[in-house]
């Protein structure tokens, strides 16, 4: 990794340099509490355009605007129901993105032509300082190529985007590890566009939240693709019970000795009870079944397994409560292998 591009986010001189880049139309990757973002001045259309180009992101997928104060958000939205103010007070700074009608001043390229804009105030000192010093809200999607897993380290940003960003601020591993919860706020209710770092149960203390499973309009968030967060190695999210997957894998390995054994990796949660020798590599998301710990490790563990030349990664499901909802959403979208048996029969 080239040193001149990746700078320590803890050094005020580097934050000054990064903010100068933003002010002068540059594109900077920076840490937030969720994942790394790829930021540009929200009002600079050419700079925002470069963000789409560097990510190879289709222009129909809008960006999240990052602010360093609630007042800055109020200058971007046209209509703000009181429940939105309550949510901002309770959860900002933090991993909650609110989608509300936008003011005319917010360029169409940021919102992909939608009449709404997604805004959040990140809970990371370097991100907040960068936005403050830049003197403008910062439009920033996750700093990965479109459709790929989000980066939770500066190294992962470099792996994804190479020389694309003008510079990368290195703030170490991001603590939350999954992206923000995206909530479209209506007068008194909300629509969950993406589960994330703030649990659905927490939001439900403040408003009624509808989800896609309530029969909501799926087109509301253009970025809500079925396939996303992908790595190169095929991944299969184990359907319950896990034991049956393991039996299928063992049976396959034993029944076709001439073919050789596929190199298997496991993303485990809790005690994997894995038969010895079946997996070449095991990444434990959380041995003690802590969903926060699992979320924080998820993308890093996926990337680590992806570098091991495996044929297949088996991911164990986690309970769909708290941060588990976001983890399962990411695993389902990263899972390109629907049927384990079909995959095994087609392998070699
Ligand atoms: O934690 C996060 O949210 C990270 C960090 C960098 O802040 N950002 C992030 O951005 O995950 P991105 O672009 O990867 O995901 C933003 C999601 C997309 O699915 C997009 O479609 C949706 O938010 N979105 C943005 N603006 C929207 C809008 N006006 N209406 C509906 N969905 C919107
Ligand atoms: Mg993303």
């Amino acid at each position: 990794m080239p040193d001149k591009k990746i700078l320590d986010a803890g050094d005020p001189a580097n934050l000054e340099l990064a903010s100068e880049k933003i002010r002068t139309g540059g594109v900077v990757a920076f840490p937030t509490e969720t994942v790394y973002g790829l930021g540009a001045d929200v009002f600079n259309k050419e700079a925002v355009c470069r963000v789409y180009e560097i990510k190879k992101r289709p222009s129909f997928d809008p960006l999240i605007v990052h602010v360093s104060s609630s007042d800055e958000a109020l200058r971007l939205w046209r209509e703000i129901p009181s429940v939105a103010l309550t949510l901002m007070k309770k959860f900002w700074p933090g991993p909650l993105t609110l989608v509300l009608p936008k003011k005319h001043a917010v360029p169409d390229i940021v919102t992909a032509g939608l009449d709404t804009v997604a805004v959040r105030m990140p809970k990371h000192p370097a991100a907040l300082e960068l936005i403050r010093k830049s003197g403008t809200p910062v439009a920033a999607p996750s700093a990965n190529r479109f459709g790929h897993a989000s980066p939770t380290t500066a190294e992962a940003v470099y792996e994804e985007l190479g020389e694309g960003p003008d510079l990368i601020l290195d703030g170490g591993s991001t603590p939350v590890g999954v992206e923000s919860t995206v909530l479209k706020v209506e007068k008194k209710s909300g629509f969950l566009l993406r589960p994330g770092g703030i649990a659905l149960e927490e939001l439900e203390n403040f408003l009624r939240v509808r989800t896609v499973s309530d029969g909501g309009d799926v087109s509301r968030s253009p970025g809500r693709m079925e396939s996303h967060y992908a790595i190169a190695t095929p991944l299969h999210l184990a359907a319950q019970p896990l034991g049956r997957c393991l039996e299928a894998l063992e049976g396959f390995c034993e029944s076709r000795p001439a073919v050789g054994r596929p190199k298997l990796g496991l993303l485990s949660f809790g005690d994997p009870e894995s038969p010895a020798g079946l997996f070449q590599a095991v990444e434990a998301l959380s041995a003690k079944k802590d969903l926060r710990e699992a979320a924080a490790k998820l993308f890093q563990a996926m990337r680590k397994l992806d570098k091991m030349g495996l044929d297949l990664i088996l991911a164990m499901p986690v309970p769909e409560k708290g941060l588990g909802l976001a983890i399962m959403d990411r695993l389902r979208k990263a899972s390109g292998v629907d049927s384990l048996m079909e995959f095994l029969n087609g392998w070699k």
Side-chain angles (χ1 to χ4, degrees):
M1 268 190 329
D3 294 344
K4 72 176 187 4
K5 274 242 161 159
I6 303 187
L7 304 178
D8 178 7
D11 182 341
N14 293 336
L15 282 172
E16 186 58 48
L17 184 67
S19 65
E20 192 193 314
K21 293 271 184 217
I22 299 274
R23 281 195 302 272
T24 54
V27 175
V28 171
F30 62 98
T32 79
E33 79 282 30
T34 57
V35 301
Y36 277 71
L38 182 66
D41 173 0
V42 70
F43 298 116
N44 186 323
K45 293 180 204 162
E46 278 107 84
V48 173
C49 198
R50 254 189 81 208
V51 169
Y52 281 88
E53 278 165 18
I54 294 169
K55 267 190 72 105
K56 309 227 177 320
R57 183 174 179 122
S59 57
F60 60 76
D61 195 1
L63 310 184
I64 292 175
V65 182
H66 295 68
V67 293
S68 59
S69 70
S70 298
D71 283 350
E72 218 174 359
L74 302 184
R75 290 197 283 274
L76 300 168
W77 288 322
R78 196 172 69 230
E79 287 160 33
I80 305 150
S82 65
V83 67
L85 297 172
T86 308
L87 293 173
M88 287 156 74
K89 230 187 213 158
K90 174 74 190 162
F91 296 107
W92 280 15
L96 177 65
T97 295
L98 299 175
V99 176
L100 283 165
K102 80 172 186 81
K103 281 199 174 147
H104 184 68
V106 180
D108 283 342
I109 182 163
V110 174
T111 64
L114 295 176
D115 188 37
T116 52
V117 63
V119 183
R120 86 177 191 96
M121 180 176 172
K123 191 177 186 169
H124 192 291
L128 288 172
E129 197 54 18
L130 174 69
I131 303 163
R132 242 178 248 135
K133 280 183 185 291
S134 300
T136 177
V138 171
S142 50
N144 50 275
R145 266 174 297 151
F146 182 69
H148 288 198
S150 295
T152 54
T153 60
E155 292 78 26
V157 174
Y158 189 76
E159 277 167 25
E160 284 287 324
L161 305 176
E163 300 292 313
D166 293 318
L167 64 86
I168 300 172
L169 284 174
D170 185 351
S173 295
T174 57
V176 176
V178 289
E179 303 84 346
S180 62
T181 300
V182 181
L183 184 75
K184 179 157 187 182
V185 184
E186 283 139 13
K187 275 202 182 86
K188 289 211 165 110
S189 63
F191 189 87
L192 186 72
L193 292 168
R194 177 177 74 185
I198 297 288
L200 175 61
E201 296 90 329
E202 285 192 72
L203 297 176
E204 283 172 337
N205 292 326
F206 298 89
L207 78 173
R208 191 167 78 84
V209 183
R210 285 168 302 127
T211 63
V212 201
S213 50
D214 302 328
D217 176 4
V218 188
S219 66
R220 281 170 196 242
S221 195
R224 191 128 52 58
M225 313 271 176
E226 282 216 345
S227 164
H228 220 81
Y229 311 111
I231 48 175
T233 312
L235 185 143
H236 174 68
L237 174 59
Q240 296 268 35
L242 181 72
R244 231 179 275 156
C245 290
L246 298 179
E247 268 169 39
L249 286 168
E250 267 184 304
F252 176 83
C253 291
E254 278 164 20
S255 69
R256 298 176 55 187
V259 187
R261 299 173 79 95
K263 293 198 195 91
L264 301 171
L266 179 69
L267 265 182
S268 75
F269 183 73
D271 177 8
E273 293 168 24
S274 128
L278 187 56
F279 296 100
Q280 306 258 320
V282 178
E283 277 296 305
L285 291 184
S286 174
K288 57 178 196 281
K289 295 198 174 183
D290 177 328
L291 290 165
R292 280 185 190 280
E293 184 189 7
K297 287 192 184 159
L298 177 67
F299 286 129
Q300 240 164 300
M302 280 167 62
R303 281 180 191 281
K304 197 166 165 198
L305 290 177
D306 199 25
K307 288 189 184 125
M308 299 182 126
L310 301 167
D311 295 304
L312 179 72
I313 297 166
L314 183 68
M316 286 171 70
V318 307
E320 294 203 61
K321 56 172 199 227
L323 285 197
L325 195 63
I327 297 173
M328 285 297 278
D329 171 72
R330 308 310 186 260
L331 286 176
R332 280 198 188 99
K333 289 176 178 160
S335 171
V337 174
D338 290 336
S339 155
L340 188 58
M341 279 331 286
E342 251 171 57
F343 175 85
L344 291 174
N345 289 329
W347 182 73
K348 281 202 180 163

